[in-house]
Amino acid sequence: MKPEILMMGPMMPHVEAALDAAYTVHRLYKTDDKDGLLAEAGPRIRGIATDGGLGASADLMARLPALEIVSCYGVGVDAIDLAHAGKQGVTVTNTPDVLNDDVANMAVALVLATSRTLVANDTYLRQGRWVNDGAPPLARSIRGRKVGILGLGRIGKDIAEKLQVFGCEIVYHGRSKQDVSYEYFDDLTAMASAVDFLIAICPGGPATNGIVNAAVLNALGPEGTFINVARGSVHDEAALVSALQSGALGMAGLDVFAAEPSVPDALLTMDNVVLQPHQGSGTVETRRAMGDLVIENLHRHFTGEPVKTPVT
Ligand code: NAP
Ligand code: 8YV
């Protein structure tokens, strides 16, 4: 008999096909009667396939007494209750490393798009203003600018390497100093006041909730740019909007938001922001590699092998 698993949301076709071939898949997102599905199939469900946004709550896991594994399509596991999973003896896996390159590229793209006013200039041209008003104001170079990385982990290190090629100076903040050549700041606000760009790429969750607050944004200042490719929970979104409106903060490049897919209306009309609908890992190649890891972790678990990428 095939193991039974719960799928929290739609996945790439190759992932769904592989999971359908190996398991009896219950698609929670496809039914209006979620309680009914969980009451009927819950006692037999041994695995969950989810993603970084949908996660797996303590309440859900508690309703699945036979649950053994949660396989997450994404590296960030802030939406999975890890403490509860540990207590219930549930293994959690994620998709580290395979997405570093593309998420780092998104951070670099947002640095370039903000500094070179790429989106505002595109609109300027399309609106006929080049013809009518002449050339737009000059943008800013990134060579020689200082970039502060909040979270110098797998992706943060990749961002640092890439931006050095553009001539940026890299510094970082995290809970601990690492064995790297970049300058370390033990205080986030102090780092913000020392840099031109602040890039958030730390995990979401209670420990980082709102740590990019009004004080940090004010320290970054009117000439500063905030880039967030981490989680929307990391910034205080009301403070961010207000700092951008008042000019206390210069610009922002945002791939993530507090209440996705909803984005504050105020941001939609600002020309000092560049916005992305959470597409850091959103390439065919990277999403395929992430999907392969979701499949492989479940497969290894259900054939008695150690999972490939456990969350520790
Ligand atoms: P990682 O290797 O675990 O690195 C995380 C970094 O954050 C570490 O350097 C860690 O350093 C730092 N950190 C952890 N807790 C912190 C805290 N409380 N305060 C300050 N720094 C803290 O993770 P990763 O693979 O690079 O991924 C990072 C995050 O990026 C994910 O968790 C996810 O939320 C996000 N992400 C977003 C996208 C997207 O599409 N936009 C895609 C992939 C990932 P210390 O331990 O020294 O503090
Ligand atoms: C995914 C992400 O888009 O890996 C992460 O943490 O945020 C992204 O790669 C997300 O997990 C899918 O919801």
Side-chain angles (χ1 to χ4, degrees), residues 80-105:
I80 299 174
D81 193 322
L82 295 180
H84 180 92
K87 277 190 225 141
Q88 201 176 319
V90 173
T91 299
V92 179
T93 64
N94 64 348
T95 61
D97 293 317
V98 294
L99 41 58
N100 294 356
D101 191 45
D102 271 322
V103 181
N105 285 349

Side-chain angles (χ1 to χ4, degrees), residues 4 6 8 26 28 31-48 56-68 70 81 84-85 88 90:
E4 299 193 27
L6 187 68
M8 299 295 289
H26 300 277
L28 192 62
T31 176
D32 291 332
D33 184 13
K34 297 189 182 2
D35 283 334
L37 187 158
L38 293 174
E40 193 281 314
R44 302 189 305 278
I45 286 172
R46 296 170 59 195
I48 292 179
S57 67
D59 178 53
L60 175 71
M61 288 187 266
R63 296 173 75 175
L64 309 175
L67 187 65
E68 298 164 23
V70 176
D81 193 322
H84 180 92
Q88 201 176 319
V90 173

Side-chain angles (χ1 to χ4, degrees), residues 51-54 72-76 95 99 103 230-231 278 281 287 290:
D51 67 29
L54 296 165
C72 180
Y73 177 76
V75 69
T95 61
L99 41 58
V103 181
R231 285 288 182 265
H278 200 143
S281 65
R287 289 284 173 85
M290 290 162 62

Side-chain angles (χ1 to χ4, degrees), residues 52-274:
L54 296 165
S57 67
D59 178 53
L60 175 71
M61 288 187 266
R63 296 173 75 175
L64 309 175
L67 187 65
E68 298 164 23
I69 180 168
V70 176
S71 182
C72 180
Y73 177 76
V75 69
V77 287
D78 46 300
I80 299 174
D81 193 322
L82 295 180
H84 180 92
K87 277 190 225 141
Q88 201 176 319
V90 173
T91 299
V92 179
T93 64
N94 64 348
T95 61
D97 293 317
V98 294
L99 41 58
N100 294 356
D101 191 45
D102 271 322
V103 181
N105 285 349
M106 176 61 83
V108 172
L110 289 172
V111 166
L112 287 168
T114 47
S115 64
R116 299 300 302 265
T117 49
L118 216 62
V119 176
N121 277 355
D122 179 279
T123 307
Y124 186 92
L125 181 155
R126 287 171 199 260
Q127 289 175 341
R129 296 190 58 196
W130 190 17
V131 174
N132 296 324
D133 302 336
L138 294 179
R140 295 292 305 272
S141 172
I142 62 167
R143 178 159 298 281
R145 315 281 297 280
K146 210 165 181 173
V147 176
I149 297 184
L150 164 56
L152 193 72
R154 290 171 291 234
I155 304 169
K157 287 195 177 83
D158 218 339
I159 295 171
E161 273 177 33
K162 287 172 192 279
L163 283 176
Q164 279 189 302
V165 174
F166 287 89
C168 295
E169 183 190 343
I170 307 295
V171 302
Y172 72 103
H173 167 74
R175 292 165 303 179
S176 51
K177 188 173 184 323
Q178 302 186 36
D179 187 16
V180 291
S181 58
Y182 312 127
E183 184 184 353
Y184 173 66
F185 283 78
D186 63 6
D187 183 78
L188 177 57
T189 312
M191 181 171 84
S193 58
V195 299
D196 302 296
F197 291 86
L198 171 63
I199 302 181
I201 186 61
C202 57
T208 57
N209 193 34
I211 58 172
V212 177
N213 56 23
V216 170
L217 296 168
N218 285 337
L220 193 52
E223 296 287 312
T225 300
F226 174 56
I227 306 287
N228 194 351
V229 285
R231 285 288 182 265
S233 60
V234 172
H235 61 237
D236 174 339
E237 205 149 276
L240 176 59
V241 168
S242 148
L244 286 163
Q245 277 171 330
S246 70
L249 174 67
M251 301 189 89
L254 305 171
D255 185 43
V256 288
F257 303 88
E260 295 173 7
S262 154
V263 174
D265 283 344
L267 289 176
L268 305 181
T269 54
M270 290 181 192
D271 59 9
N272 54 342
V273 298
V274 177

